[in-house]
Amino acid sequence: MQLMLVARAHGYDTNAMAGYAKEEIAEAFGLDKARYQPVMLISIGKAAKAGYPSYRLPVDTITTWA
Ligand SMILES: Cc1cc2nc3c(=O)[nH]c(=O)nc-3n(C[C@H](O)[C@H](O)[C@H](O)COP(=O)(O)O)c2cc1C
């Protein structure tokens, strides 16, 4: 999140991804498979289109406190 916020502060847009080929990502980026464990992919760049607001369920309708 910090990386994404810093990118935003410098005028860049980001997108977090967890759904990718984890077994192949090290090779695709030329990384040592034995040393690096893929956790998340974050793309950084300039958005082609403006973002749009999306809906999140209100916390009090999806959580209960015991
Ligand atoms: C940790 C993490 C992993 C994510 N992985 C994916 C992904 O693999 N594919 C995808 O389409 N969106 C993924 N997302 C969601 C997008 O990054 C983005 O938040 C979402 O598309 C925003 O749209 P929404 O606000 O309409 O939900 C991920 C988000 C987070 C925080």
Side-chain angles (χ1 to χ4, degrees):
M1 192 70 237
Q2 196 66 16
L3 175 66
M4 296 169 91
L5 291 171
V6 169
R8 184 71 228 143
H10 287 271
Y12 292 94
D13 303 290
T14 61
N15 195 40
M17 289 165 270
Y20 57 90
K22 291 195 169 60
E23 288 303 312
E24 296 161 33
I25 201 75
E27 194 179 331
F29 282 88
L31 300 171
D32 180 358
K33 259 187 170 177
R35 182 169 182 191
Y36 297 104
Q37 179 70 36
V39 176
M40 186 198 309
L41 212 60
I42 299 178
S43 62
I44 301 179
K46 297 279 185 177
K49 295 183 198 165
Y52 56 89
S54 60
Y55 183 74
R56 294 291 183 270
L57 293 170
V59 171
D60 58 351
T61 65
I62 58 168
T63 54
T64 56
W65 303 96

